[in-house]
């Protein structure tokens, strides 16, 4: 298990990732040695533990709540109207927990992620929180580096998704509060509007 916290002197440290170590590599670069650690949140439970259970009739929310219980996360955050869709004849959960999360997400048009022992589930056109008043503004005054730019298609909703979607990429100063699924308001010279963060990298 490993955890990485970063921050600034004024605000202190904040955790940006924690989970099980799945791979460690070390390479030499000049006089330095660079160690790369791959971390997966709830990696073993998601990928190596099977579930075989048929849920009774209910709602899609019930299936995600059962998976959250099986994975053992401490809490769930749902921001989805699609989770209220009925499951009339029940639902069979059979496979790894990751496979079931991906299957439900693809079928009912939601995204999921696990961060800091929390399962987030939100509609594909929503963020992981309804609190838009807390969304960060990303501009040259708040840490935006260079200009944001559009890509022809680098992002897929899941590994099964064959179609890459056009996206916007930008670089900014470290903000540990912005995570995958966050909604930010981009205010750049040519690109402006609300942006959902699908993925991010910290350097």
């Amino acid at each position: 298990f490993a955890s990485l916290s970063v921050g600034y002197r004024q605000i202190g440290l904040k955790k940006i990732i924690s989970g099980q170590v799945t791979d460690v590599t070390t390479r030499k670069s000049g006089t330095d040695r660079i160690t790369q650690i791959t971390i997966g949140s709830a990696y073993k439970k998601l990928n190596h533990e099977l579930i075989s259970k048929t849920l009774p009739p209910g709602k899609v929310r019930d299936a995600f709540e059962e998976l959250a219980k099986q994975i053992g996360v401490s809490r769930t955050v749902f921001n989805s109207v699609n989770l209220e869709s009925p499951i009339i004849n029940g639902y069979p959960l059979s496979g790894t927990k990751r496979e079931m999360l991906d299957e439900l997400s693809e079928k009912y048009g939601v995204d999921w992620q696990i961060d800091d022992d929390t399962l987030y589930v939100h509609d594909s056109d929503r963020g992981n929180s309804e609190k838009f008043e807390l969304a960060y503004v990303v501009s040259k005054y708040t840490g935006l580096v260079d200009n944001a730019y559009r890509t022809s298609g680098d992002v897929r909703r899941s590994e099964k998704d064959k179609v890459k979607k056009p996206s916007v990429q930008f670089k900014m100063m470290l903000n540990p509060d912005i995570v995958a699924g966050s909604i930010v308001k981009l205010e750049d010279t040519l690109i402006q509007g609300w942006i959902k963060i699908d993925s991010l990298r910290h350097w």
Side-chain angles (χ1 to χ4, degrees):
F1 186 87
S3 177
L4 176 63
S5 298
V6 297
Y8 299 96
R9 181 177 299 177
Q10 298 91 332
I11 63 173
L13 296 177
K14 290 190 176 184
K15 182 164 55 180
I16 61 171
I17 188 171
S18 64
Q20 295 166 316
V21 176
T22 62
D23 187 51
V24 179
T25 59
T26 300
R27 63 183 176 87
K28 189 175 181 180
S29 177
T31 58
D32 297 324
R33 291 188 180 276
I34 300 174
T35 298
Q36 179 174 303
I37 302 174
T38 303
I39 299 174
S41 297
Y43 181 83
K44 183 178 180 181
K45 288 184 175 293
L46 283 172
N47 298 281
H48 297 295
E49 294 185 4
L50 299 175
I51 183 173
S52 180
K53 184 174 185 177
T54 300
L55 299 180
K59 296 182 178 181
V60 177
R61 171 187 293 268
D62 301 329
F64 279 100
E65 288 179 342
E66 177 62 29
L67 287 168
K69 177 182 176 182
Q70 295 285 335
I71 296 167
V73 295
S74 61
R75 71 187 187 111
T76 57
V77 176
F78 295 152
N79 182 22
S80 169
V81 295
N82 292 344
L83 291 185
E84 304 307 314
S85 300
I87 298 178
I88 298 175
N89 298 316
Y91 198 94
L93 298 174
S94 180
T96 67
K97 291 150 193 174
R98 177 181 289 277
E99 288 172 340
M100 292 300 95
L101 288 168
D102 286 342
E103 179 179 293
L104 286 163
S105 296
E106 185 174 0
K107 186 171 183 179
Y108 292 101
V110 298
D111 293 334
W112 70 272
Q113 68 195 72
I114 295 179
D115 281 321
D116 197 18
D117 204 30
T118 301
L119 172 64
Y120 295 90
V121 182
H122 43 273
D123 292 341
S124 298
D125 59 351
R126 293 187 177 196
N128 56 20
S129 173
E130 293 181 333
K131 299 178 180 179
F132 284 94
E133 68 273 10
L134 300 180
Y136 283 94
V137 174
V138 178
S139 71
K140 64 179 181 179
Y141 302 108
T142 61
L144 182 65
V145 179
D146 298 326
N147 292 111
Y149 59 93
R150 300 184 187 276
T151 68
S152 59
D154 293 329
V155 177
R156 296 176 179 176
R157 280 196 57 237
S158 70
E159 293 182 0
K160 295 181 180 180
D161 204 341
K162 302 301 181 181
V163 179
K164 294 183 178 181
K165 300 184 297 183
S167 63
V168 173
Q169 292 189 10
F170 59 87
K171 183 187 298 185
M172 66 175 296
M173 300 294 290
L174 174 69
N175 185 336
D177 290 330
I178 297 177
V179 299
S182 295
I183 298 292
V184 300
K185 188 176 184 182
L186 180 62
E187 294 183 351
D188 197 14
T189 306
L190 299 177
I191 304 176
Q192 300 177 0
W194 297 98
I195 302 292
K196 178 180 177 179
I197 306 298
D198 282 315
S199 64
L200 71 162
R201 291 180 291 177
H202 296 283
W203 294 88

